[in-house]
Amino acid sequence: MLDQFDETARDIVASATWAPDWLLSIAVLMAALLPALLAHRILFRIISRLVQSRDLFWRSLVQRTEGPVRLGLIVVALSLGAAIAPLSAGQAAVARHALAICFICLVGWVALTALHIWTTVYLRKFKLDSEDNLLARKHTTQSRILKRVASVLIVLVTASVALMTFDGVRQYGVSLLASAGAAGIVMGLALQPLLKNLIAGVQLAVTQPIRLEDAVIVEGEWGNVEEITATYVVVRLWDWRRMVLPLSYFIEKPFQNWTRESASLIGTVMLYVDYSAPIEAMRRKLEEVARETPLWDRRVVNMQVTDFTPDTMQVRMLVSASSAGRAFDLRCWVREQMIGWLQAEHPGALPRQRAEIRRLPRDAAWMEEAVAAE
């Protein structure tokens, strides 16, 4: 049936001897392109209505595949038109080359779309806004890093295959393969930062020393991991500043991760009080203060005298919370309540400077000089 259609179309084009070949070629290609665009619009209107009552996945699937399907229909239509149009040998070669590049781009586009849809469907099972989101952060971080690395590789492979369709680039590639030793060293040095971060991204996705929303201390700053890309990590600091670090930083340098295995933390509050401070009363007051606030997770509350100085005692109070942010607020709450209670109930327990005054003999030389001066 297709052969009969091609023969009939060629006969119709050949009978139009009144028009030049270039004009007939443009007319044939446009005649093939317009039905493809019209068919795409009608097809997607029908499909959009069919999935309108379905869940978000199907609506997203239709929306994401609109572009690749349009490009695929255009490539097929132009291939049919190029086979019918009265093109010269050079024009036919250019048309075939352009369609080949379009097909390669279509394959890469489909691969990126499939990767995005798979990642979206997989991550729908995990909720980052839940109270215990450790598992969700683990899978989300892993999926997003691997997705970005795979996206970069797909783009690089697609661009490389498209460039290899040109004879000059293909010959250059063959010459590079022939001198792979020197070329490999040069390319390795030139692409060292990119390759280093891509490899670090794969390591982070597998080992996961950090995850999204992890509370970390890097370069002496406290913050949360806000974004992990294919080459860098954005840390949202406590004062809303952003610190941008390369992926390799978290592989090569030490840092603190407060939520590596669990979001729960023990907060430490240090107080310096006088030797006469009532330790047992302070311990009971600490437990009362912890019970008064929902920031405490009801797990750890303790107080100990950990050190002495010549003038004060060092008291360490421990309280636990379910997250780093709540632990910080809980520590501030304990400091305020405990110091307020000491000021109101035991002001003598606050640090004081002691001095000893001794009575000197009245016949001391400096005393006689002072009396004489008066």
Side-chain angles (χ1 to χ4, degrees), residues 42 64 71-72 120 142 144 157 173 178 217 266 307 367:
I42 295 174
R64 289 284 178 175
L71 180 59
T120 302
Q142 192 174 52
R144 288 185 180 180
V157 171
I217 295 182
I266 296 178
D307 200 1
M367 290 286 295

Side-chain angles (χ1 to χ4, degrees), residues 255-268:
F255 63 94
Q256 294 185 36
N257 189 337
W258 289 9
T259 54
R260 177 68 178 86
E261 296 295 337
S262 173
S264 299
L265 285 175
I266 296 178
T268 304

Side-chain angles (χ1 to χ4, degrees), residues 72-136:
L73 292 176
I74 290 175
V75 171
V76 172
L78 292 180
S79 299
L80 295 176
I84 298 172
L87 298 173
S88 63
Q91 294 171 345
V94 172
R96 286 194 297 270
H97 192 188
L99 291 174
I101 294 177
C102 289
F103 178 76
I104 294 171
C105 294
L106 174 62
V107 173
W109 195 352
V110 169
L112 288 174
T113 303
L115 178 64
H116 176 80
I117 293 173
W118 180 85
T119 306
T120 302
V121 173
Y122 180 73
L123 293 180
R124 288 184 67 189
K125 300 182 293 184
F126 307 101
K127 302 296 183 183
L128 288 175
D129 54 356
S130 61
E131 183 68 23
D132 186 8
N133 61 356
L134 180 63
L135 184 63

Side-chain angles (χ1 to χ4, degrees), residues 170-229:
R170 189 186 306 115
Q171 293 175 2
Y172 180 70
V174 173
S175 64
L176 283 180
L177 291 176
S179 57
I185 295 175
V186 174
M187 291 297 291
L189 292 175
L191 299 177
Q192 182 182 5
L194 175 62
L195 296 176
K196 183 179 181 180
N197 283 300
L198 285 177
I199 295 173
V202 175
Q203 287 181 281
L204 285 178
V206 175
T207 60
Q208 292 194 344
I210 59 171
R211 306 184 184 95
L212 290 173
E213 294 302 324
D214 267 349
V216 296
I217 295 182
V218 288
E219 300 294 322
E221 298 278 1
W222 182 88
N224 294 91
V225 178
E226 182 178 52
E227 184 181 2
I228 303 177
T229 69

Side-chain angles (χ1 to χ4, degrees), residues 15 44 82 94 126 128 158 242 273 280 348:
S15 63
F44 261 84
V94 172
F126 307 101
L128 288 175
T158 302
R242 265 61 174 179
V273 296
E280 288 302 324

